[in-house]
Amino acid sequence: MAEVAAAGGAGPDVNTTGNPTEMAMAYLQDETDGDIPDLNLGELDLTTDEFILDEVDIHIQANLEDDLVKEALKTGVDLRQYSKQVESELQRIEQASIKDYIKESQNIALLHNQITACDSILERMEGMLSGFQSDLSSISSEIQTLQQQSVSMNVRLKNRQAVRSHLSQLVDELVVPGAMISTILDSPVTEQEFLEQLHELNNKINFAKELSFRETLACSDIQDIVDRLKLKAVSKIREFILQKIYSFRKPMTNYQIPQNTLLKYRFFYQFLLANERTVAKEIRDEYVDTMSKIYYSYFKSYSGRLLKVQYEEVADKDDLMGVEDTAKKGFFSKPSLKSRNTIFTVGQRGAILSPAELEGPILVPHTAQRGDSRYPYETLFRSQHYALLDNGCREFLFLSDFFMVTGNSALDLFNSIMGKTLSMFLKSMSTYVSDCYDSIAVFLCIHIILRFRAITAKRTIPALDKYWEAVLELLWPRFELILEMNIHSIRNTDPQKLGVLDTRPHYITRRYAEFSSAIVSINQTFPNERTHTLLGQLQVEVENFVLKMAAEFPSRRDQLIFLINNYDMMLSVLMERAADDSKEVEGFQQLLLARTQEFIEEILSPPFGGMIAFVKEAEALMEKGQLDRLKNDEARITQLIRGFSSSWKQSVEAMSQDVMRSFTNFKNGTSIIQGALTQLIQYYHGFHKVLNQPTFRSLAVRSELINLHHLMVEVKKHKPNF
């Protein structure tokens, strides 16, 4: 069609202005005998009778719509000429194609032969692959068969292995090797091989018991020899353990060494307990009996030797806080020995509660006797009970480990061994405490027990808990009783029987101060409400006693000096040991402050009483707005101003000397002088303030007032320095 377009101008005239369909039909009618160009009419047969014009018209219309045909018709191409041209071109191409086929004929033939050969090869391969496919089908069925056989064999193998393992274990457990027999019969029990074979024998005995429950017939084959080996092992173990227990009884024996040996062979008792309970009970009873006697003998002897190094001089029922020094020619009247225990002063005795001394080595009585050393009761008490704590903890751990007991069973076994010793301790302590009047010793013993109880709790050893409670039940009531006796002694004290009056601190208040500070300092670590209550009652009685003693002085000044000296002394002693915020310290601080302030007013009154009275009167009237009532007191004011100016220095100096002579504590005397001078300046400042009021501004004598700043500078010169 492209060539048709290219062959433009040739051919007859075609009316290009008419209907294209009509032109094609006319052309076909005129050229029936000629060549018809290819107009893409398909397979339409125009010569048959069945030609349908409508269909031809459709094909023609479709070809006419082709772009090339449209172009050809528009340009007036001669279709006949164009048809001939196309035909000749086709012939030329056909000839050329034939020549190409002839030229390539050999190659085509060769290609044909190759294709034929390939077809034969492929045919053979197809046959081979078909054979392979059939073989694979048979192999797949064989594999399935083998897989089924493998699964079946695997199940049988597992079953046989399971049976074999059980049978092998059964046989191994049943068989009694010759090495076991020879070792159990001939080897000493201390050898490691004997212990190992004993473990094996124990396993076989247990296994035989298990099989007998299952009614396994095989166990009857070994039962006889296992029983014989068990009896032999029990006999050897019994002999070994009893020998170790009997070795405890030898004099001067350190029983901890054979105990450690027994712990290495703790399995022996476990074997006996599992296989021969009668022998196990025999061994345990023998151990309990032996150790009970050993502990009782040791602690009884040790306690008796300790009492020989106690101070010979001890407090008795007359050694109370409120007893006067002249009442007896005994404990208080004797001069103190070099290392003598005191009744109301703790001194170095409190050091026994320090960790270093509390858990330090126990006393060796014969060494102390050779050195002529003596100790207070609490030191002996600490040594005795630390030995008990140490041995008790070790014994409880041994019993729990070797005899395999826990809980109440362990406590019962421990008590069966230590019960006699603990009862002896409680009895001797009860005897001592019933006649003891050394409250500090009793209180120290209480705190020793409290700390030892904390130590056993930290070690998780409950064996001595009931004993600690029993000791505290003995000590607490005695301490309270002694404290109440001291309270009653102070309450019943008659001041007139205490000798010559003296403003210095009284020896009874000093006793109280030393005693109270000791108890408070000790009680701070383990506070006890009962102790606080009793100390509060004691403090009240001491305060009342001080007031009763002060009332014996005729002048208020001496009374205040006595009160201040005693309060200051008690406060100083308490603050050395007790906490600053303790109840006792706070109480005496308030009392000291109140009496000091009153004493300051008392010592200022003689030299400056007139001025002080005037200031207080004037300030009271100023508050009411009635100061004019004093405007006629010019003579009084003049006398006060001139009297103060002329004598204040001498008065201050005399006052300072008098205060320093009256108070034993220089620091306290200095504080009182400073307070008095400060109060004096405040009064003089108030005096200035009153005279600056309009009522007194016209007084000429105001010019003679001492400058307040100048007075302060001068007063500082009179402050004593120590």
Side-chain angles (χ1 to χ4, degrees), residues 481-538:
L481 176 62
I482 299 172
L483 209 54
E484 288 173 357
M485 291 174 66
N486 281 284
I487 292 172
H488 289 302
S489 70
I490 295 176
R491 182 183 301 157
N492 299 329
T493 298
D494 186 357
Q496 296 180 354
K497 296 181 180 180
L498 296 180
V500 181
L501 292 176
D502 192 342
T503 57
R504 290 175 296 180
H506 199 273
Y507 58 84
I508 291 181
T509 57
R510 183 172 294 279
R511 291 175 188 171
Y512 163 77
E514 295 287 352
F515 176 79
S516 181
S517 65
I519 299 301
V520 169
S521 62
I522 296 171
N523 198 55
Q524 285 173 350
T525 51
F526 283 86
N528 181 270
E529 191 59 36
R530 290 185 294 180
T531 305
H532 285 302
T533 302
L534 290 171
L535 285 179
Q537 295 176 10
L538 182 61

Side-chain angles (χ1 to χ4, degrees), residues 314-453:
V314 294
D316 58 29
K317 62 181 180 180
D318 294 323
D319 295 321
L320 299 175
M321 200 175 295
V323 175
E324 58 273 16
D325 279 343
T326 58
K328 52 180 273 189
K329 300 294 182 180
F331 189 85
F332 289 108
S333 61
K334 290 183 179 180
S336 297
L337 300 177
K338 182 177 181 180
S339 57
R340 180 180 173 185
N341 182 18
T342 57
I343 302 301
F344 304 108
T345 305
V346 69
Q348 296 300 317
R349 297 167 68 185
I352 199 170
L353 298 178
S354 65
E357 291 199 25
L358 189 69
E359 300 182 55
I362 63 175
L363 289 178
V364 181
H366 61 269
T367 303
Q369 283 180 309
R370 283 202 302 266
D372 199 25
S373 299
R374 291 292 182 269
Y375 300 95
Y377 177 75
E378 66 271 8
T379 302
L380 310 182
F381 182 88
R382 195 278 321 172
S383 183
Q384 181 187 45
H385 282 81
Y386 187 67
L388 174 65
L389 180 147
D390 194 39
N391 285 276
C393 290
R394 185 182 295 108
E395 185 64 29
F396 183 80
L397 292 175
F398 174 83
L399 295 175
S400 301
D401 198 359
F402 185 79
F403 291 104
M404 297 178 298
V405 289
T406 56
N408 291 330
S409 299
L411 294 176
D412 292 340
L413 185 58
F414 177 85
N415 289 329
S416 64
I417 294 174
M418 300 294 294
K420 191 175 179 182
T421 301
L422 298 179
S423 298
M424 182 264 292
F425 271 16
L426 290 174
K427 184 177 180 181
S428 62
M429 197 181 311
S430 176
T431 302
Y432 172 81
V433 166
S434 63
D435 196 36
C436 176
Y437 295 90
D438 187 352
S439 53
I440 290 181
V442 176
F443 198 62
L444 286 172
C445 290
I446 289 173
H447 278 265
I448 288 171
I449 293 298
L450 292 175
R451 283 160 174 77
F452 281 169
R453 185 173 64 178

Side-chain angles (χ1 to χ4, degrees), residues 234 238 241 268-287 402-403:
V234 167
R238 174 183 177 277
I241 296 179
F268 288 174
Y269 184 79
Q270 182 179 347
F271 181 83
L272 294 177
L273 195 63
N275 300 289
E276 200 62 50
R277 287 186 173 271
T278 304
V279 177
K281 184 178 184 303
E282 177 191 3
I283 288 176
R284 190 168 86 162
D285 292 344
E286 191 65 33
Y287 178 85
F402 185 79
F403 291 104

Side-chain angles (χ1 to χ4, degrees), residues 190 240 244 256-266:
T190 54
F240 170 76
K244 291 298 179 184
Q256 295 174 13
I257 296 176
Q259 272 188 339
N260 293 334
T261 303
L262 286 176
L263 285 178
K264 290 172 59 179
Y265 302 103
R266 61 174 64 87

